[in-house]
Amino acid sequence: MSALVTGLGVVAPNGLGTEEYWAATLAGKSGLGPITRFDASGYPARVAGEVPGFTAADHLPSRLLPQTDQMTRLALVAADWALRDAGVRAEELPEYAAGVVTAASGGGVEFGQRELQALWEHGREHVSAYQSFAWFYAVNTGQISIRQRTKGPSGVLVTEQAGGLDALGQARREVRKGVRLMLSGGVDGALCPWGWVAQLATGRVSEAGEYLPFAAEASGYLPGEGGAILVVEEAAAARQRGAAHRYGELAGYAATMDPAPGSGRPPGLGRAAANALADAGLTAADIDVVFADAAGVPELDRAEAAVLVDLFGPYGVPVTAPKSLTGRLAGGAALDVASALLALRDGVIPPSGPVREPAAALRLDLVCGAARPAPLRTALVLARGYGGFNAALVVRAAN
Amino acid sequence: MPLLELSDLTRLLRECAGEDEAVDLDGDVLDVSFYELGYDSLAILQVTGRIQREYGIELPEEAIGAETPREFLAAVHQVQAPEQLAEVRKIAAA
């Protein structure tokens, strides 16, 4: 029994909608720029990936607007688009046949900050009643399931960048248990002062305003908003209903935790990658491309490169980091999975954004400059979440 | 402050909680339940808070528990003008 992705919905800083995002990504068009959503002039880092040209009222009913943060609006639209792409009307499925599992890092932080400010400045009677759930980290899963009338198994994963992969891993479990369809992935973002200082506290955000993973001049990462929602179905059921798109199978998945700092034991990313390959029944030689976690922090880039060299050998597999065009999205690496599936579809590896070349010592075949055409059957997606989370997902082209 | 009228209530509902596409709020909705109008208890809570702020009044639990605009307006009027309402009732009863 295999779990197949049959629909994609993408909302990204460099493109609204799957095809716009993908065209921009292949062309190396960046969605990173000076923050406009709040006055960031007083902060040490001032560049992020904002989703441009998104007017929620064009896509969502007015009932939903007073009760949603920007990131929930983006998630609801991504879910709409994913289902439309899959050609499925979720409300036509039996009541408990579909579920939602998404990744979140923050929740409706921008909404929450506004209401907390109202509380302090004007008093409790000025706080929106919708604050009760609009800033809750599980709100996207809840709002998507209400809008799509899906009452099947649902949940939320909070493992920062690893979350997008962990959510898809959970969606795969549910499909294997017999759930007809899962909406999964992650769309999050908190481009407001509160969300921004939480990012800055990691000490990993680039104050130079550049996100150049694996480059010798790497200076940290840049955060972004948006992400991707994917439709996951059991492969035979998808074939039976004549699904228009069969982007690929979630063939292998694994997650690990890093050991406690100071333990001297190695981080868990390598084990996650090896376990995901084993779970897919594949060896390293079967993998055609890696979508890297690409932290952009020299020490973390070295650690990831070491894992890749250990698994594949020096320069042993094409590696790419298209997130350097969007920033690291708080909904986790779900967008990387969408990108990997689009790469399989089109037989092309997107470039690592603005990175000109990887640091020589890393011994990586990093795809830089231009997209690289290649026959692709499988991709490995890696993600590390702040706090020690590691996840790896293998996608394989549908037969 | 003038008494809260149905048109005020529907305007505030729109502003606080949006409007269901399938509903005509400008129609005869006085006795249509909030549920049928597409509003849940949080929407009513939200609009109640707004009225309390704008009209400078404190509304009782009955307003939040009102099932229709008529019930809601009655609960608000009870606070806004209790003497006036008592007078109206007396006249009606006479």
Side-chain angles (χ1 to χ4, degrees):
Chain A
M1 187 179 275
S2 67
L4 197 66
V5 176
T6 58
L8 300 176
V10 172
V11 284
N14 63 343
L16 200 53
T18 302
E19 297 310 327
E20 199 181 306
Y21 159 75
W22 187 233
T25 296
L26 290 177
K29 185 180 153 230
S30 178
L32 295 164
I35 291 171
T36 65
R37 293 263 291 286
F38 65 97
D39 177 9
S41 58
Y43 298 91
R46 293 177 291 276
V47 177
E50 299 178 349
V51 173
F54 176 70
T55 306
D58 293 347
H59 306 284
L60 296 170
S62 72
R63 274 291 280 120
L64 284 172
L65 300 183
Q67 55 176 280
T68 44
D69 184 275
Q70 159 93 349
M71 64 105 203
T72 299
R73 296 170 180 180
L74 289 168
L76 285 166
V77 171
D80 283 356
W81 291 348
L83 283 166
R84 191 191 306 165
D85 187 42
V88 173
R89 294 175 63 86
E91 70 268 24
E92 289 173 0
L93 294 172
E95 204 174 4
Y96 293 93
V100 183
V101 58
T102 64
S105 290
V109 176
E110 191 176 1
F111 191 110
Q113 171 166 1
R114 190 178 66 228
E115 297 309 318
L116 289 180
Q117 279 176 321
L119 174 68
W120 295 118
E121 286 170 23
H122 307 295
R124 65 188 170 90
E125 61 277 13
H126 290 262
V127 176
S128 167
Y130 297 117
Q131 170 81 339
S132 56
F133 60 75
W135 67 332
F136 184 36
Y137 64 89
V139 69
N140 289 357
T141 286
Q143 287 282 26
I144 291 170
S145 70
I146 292 167
R147 180 164 166 79
Q148 305 298 345
R149 294 177 206 171
T150 57
K151 296 184 179 177
S154 295
V156 60
L157 275 299
V158 184
T159 55
E160 215 260 322
Q161 289 295 302
L165 306 190
D166 289 332
L168 286 161
Q170 177 65 7
R172 189 180 72 147
R173 280 188 204 104
E174 297 294 357
V175 164
R176 284 178 168 177
K177 280 193 265 177
V179 179
R180 171 71 190 78
L181 179 149
M182 290 295 292
L183 278 163
S184 185
V187 176
D188 201 352
L191 297 178
C192 62
W194 185 13
W196 196 242
V197 294
Q199 295 279 349
L200 297 181
T202 65
R204 296 175 180 176
V205 178
S206 168
E207 295 182 5
E210 294 179 319
Y211 181 22
L212 300 168
F214 301 117
E217 58 273 39
S219 59
Y221 74 93
L222 295 172
E225 66 175 349
I229 299 291
L230 290 72
V231 173
V232 183
E233 299 180 72
E234 202 277 307
R239 199 175 302 118
Q240 203 168 9
R241 76 168 178 87
H245 304 294
R246 294 192 292 141
Y247 289 104
E249 178 197 347
L250 303 180
Y253 161 75
T256 62
M257 279 299 293
D258 282 341
S263 73
R265 287 184 286 137
L269 184 66
R271 265 190 307 129
N275 291 351
L277 287 178
D279 183 48
L282 298 174
T283 64
D286 298 317
I287 296 297
D288 297 323
V289 60
V290 174
F291 284 70
D293 173 62
V297 176
E299 182 193 351
L300 294 169
D301 285 349
R302 281 195 293 274
E304 184 172 26
V307 164
L308 293 173
V309 169
D310 187 45
L311 205 55
F312 298 97
Y315 312 100
V317 66
V319 177
T320 189
K323 67 182 66 167
S324 53
L325 297 168
T326 62
R328 286 167 80 79
L329 308 183
L335 183 59
D336 271 341
V337 178
S339 303
L341 292 164
L342 292 164
L344 299 188
R345 181 191 72 179
D346 294 346
V348 61
I349 304 170
S352 304
V355 180
R356 279 196 298 273
E357 59 178 10
L362 300 180
R363 295 188 294 168
L364 290 184
D365 173 16
L366 191 71
V367 178
C368 294
R372 183 192 296 180
L376 302 174
R377 290 278 308 153
T378 58
L380 172 67
V381 184
L382 299 178
R384 285 174 293 189
Y386 188 76
F389 304 101
N390 304 287
L393 186 77
V394 176
V395 292
R396 178 164 50 201
N399 292 319
Chain B
M1 269 302 213
L3 285 184
L4 186 78
E5 292 182 27
L6 180 63
S7 57
D8 301 318
L9 178 60
T10 50
R11 174 178 58 83
L12 291 169
L13 278 167
R14 269 196 195 102
E15 287 175 18
C16 291
E19 183 176 11
D20 195 307
E21 283 95 345
V23 167
D24 177 16
L25 271 187
D26 297 322
D28 183 11
V29 298
L30 201 54
D31 292 305
V32 181
S33 73
F34 286 122
Y35 179 80
E36 285 171 87
L37 294 174
Y39 296 113
D40 53 21
S41 57
L42 271 180
I44 304 307
L45 194 60
Q46 180 78 348
V47 85
T48 301
R50 177 79 177 272
I51 290 167
Q52 293 190 136
R53 292 202 303 274
E54 282 195 8
Y55 286 75
I57 54 174
E58 188 133 349
L59 293 173
E61 295 273 329
E62 293 85 77
I64 299 162
E67 289 186 5
T68 63
R70 186 190 295 278
E71 287 176 25
F72 188 90
L73 290 171
V76 175
H77 294 164
Q78 194 68 48
V79 175
Q80 275 192 302
E83 305 85 7
Q84 200 179 323
L85 282 178
E87 196 62 30
V88 170
R89 288 219 181 90
K90 241 184 274 170
I91 293 164

